[in-house]
Amino acid sequence: MDTLNVQGGYPLTGELKIQGSKNTVLPVMAAAVLYKGVTMLTNVPMIQDVYCMIHILEAVGVKIVFSDHCLVMDASSVENGEIPMEDVKRMRSSIMLLGALLGRTGEAVTSYPGGCSIGLRPINLHLKGLTEMGAEISEDGTKIRACASRLKGAYIRLDFPSVGATENILLAAVAAEGVTVIENAAREPEIIELCLFLQKMGVPVRGAGTGRIKIEG
């Protein structure tokens, strides 16, 4: 359907239950990889992107049960850092697992992300931030490999407040040694929610919702 015609002028009534935010739940699911235990999320939207992220997490070793908007993730035994190529092509948000898997396993392998209907959105800020934290990045035209025996905290100033780059650096910073500061960080609600989630995991994070976020790894 190319056109949707709506005729107004009628009184509205009734109730509608709103599902949780996709933009929040996906980075939080990625963050769960960093915890060697069980994470439970409620009011999770039952949409394709969530199912795609579930498939990716299962591929790297996370045990998952998803029923009636309740998502239980057991990341006790994550050892594989390679994200399936077919899932990366379906969902751009899979790129945020780069920082989480790098921090958890010391290596992350992914393909260039797809699934974006608004066109090309480069990931150079993601890779630049991880490099500044000590990661070695190699690209062969189809795959991106990030390796780091130990990430180091760093002062990272983004060229512009990219949501994805802020999320990726945040997740990598959790496992980094020392303090990481993200300058010109994104301020979107999903960034604030991710920071709150990390705080509940015990990570000292300050500055959520501002242009300067500080993480103690």
Side-chain angles (χ1 to χ4, degrees), residues 20-145:
S21 164
K22 180 201 76 169
N23 288 345
T24 293
V25 74
L26 295 177
V28 168
M29 289 173 70
V33 169
L34 294 163
Y35 175 55
K36 297 179 181 180
V38 177
T39 299
M40 182 174 69
L41 305 177
T42 58
N43 198 30
V44 175
M46 301 180 76
I47 58 176
Q48 185 58 42
D49 276 3
V50 170
Y51 287 108
C52 186
M53 182 65 90
I54 287 173
H55 189 265
I56 294 172
L57 293 179
E58 288 177 333
V60 301
V62 182
K63 298 176 182 177
I64 294 178
V65 176
F66 186 33
S67 176
D68 194 25
H69 301 280
C70 180
L71 179 64
V72 180
M73 299 169 284
D74 183 353
S76 302
S77 57
V78 173
E79 297 179 354
N80 175 28
E82 183 161 358
I83 304 171
M85 183 180 294
E86 62 272 17
D87 290 314
V88 176
K89 296 300 182 183
R90 291 165 54 200
M91 186 181 68
R92 179 178 176 82
S93 301
S94 60
I95 192 63
M96 71 183 63
L97 275 164
L98 197 64
L101 286 171
L102 181 62
R104 175 66 187 270
T105 69
E107 181 180 37
V109 182
T110 185
S111 306
Y112 290 92
C116 181
S117 60
I118 68 174
L120 180 64
R121 288 191 286 170
I123 59 170
N124 58 301
L125 294 184
H126 302 239
L127 304 183
K128 180 182 176 183
L130 296 178
T131 299
E132 292 180 22
M133 298 173 71
E136 295 182 5
I137 309 292
S138 60
E139 305 174 64
D140 65 5
T142 58
K143 286 189 176 183
I144 304 167
R145 183 181 301 272

